[in-house]
Amino acid sequence: MNAALAALGANLREGGATFRIWAPAARSVSVRGNFNNWSDCTLSAEGNGYWSASVDGVREGDQYLFYVDGLGSTGFKRDPHARALNRVCPRPPPPGARTSSRAKQQPTARCL
């Protein structure tokens, strides 16, 4: 895949979606959503800061967030290329994390 030409964000395909993000300072990236019960689906490093994964079972309207473990910052990240956002995220907090009202209110992206 030509990293410069491939679409970023969530791109629906038959039977699922391809997720792609540019995170040049990341050590690892995963996508979590209601399609996988908010568990990790690890993205693979493509080089030049790009990460991607093809995930089966994703449908239009599914909610998701990226989880980026990076230099200086680790946590849930909204997709800057999302075509739609939900105001409130229904996801559970990560294991062992303390909950806060701010974390519970983080918007999620929707697959369109």
Side-chain angles (χ1 to χ4, degrees), residues 30-102:
S30 62
V31 63
R32 298 177 182 183
N34 60 321
F35 50 84
N36 66 1
N37 199 29
W38 298 98
S39 59
D40 282 327
C41 179
T42 303
L43 279 68
S44 299
E46 297 178 354
N48 296 319
Y50 292 97
W51 299 78
S52 67
S54 184
V55 181
D56 291 335
V58 179
R59 297 184 311 241
E60 183 175 344
D62 280 349
Q63 298 174 48
Y64 67 96
L65 288 168
F66 290 109
Y67 192 86
V68 178
D69 177 12
L71 303 174
S73 176
T74 296
F76 287 102
K77 310 292 182 191
R78 262 191 334 235
D79 181 354
H81 297 278
R83 293 163 188 87
L85 296 175
N86 283 348
R87 189 170 292 270
V88 177
C89 175
R91 67 169 167 77
R98 291 187 286 175
T99 59
S100 71
S101 59
R102 183 173 177 219

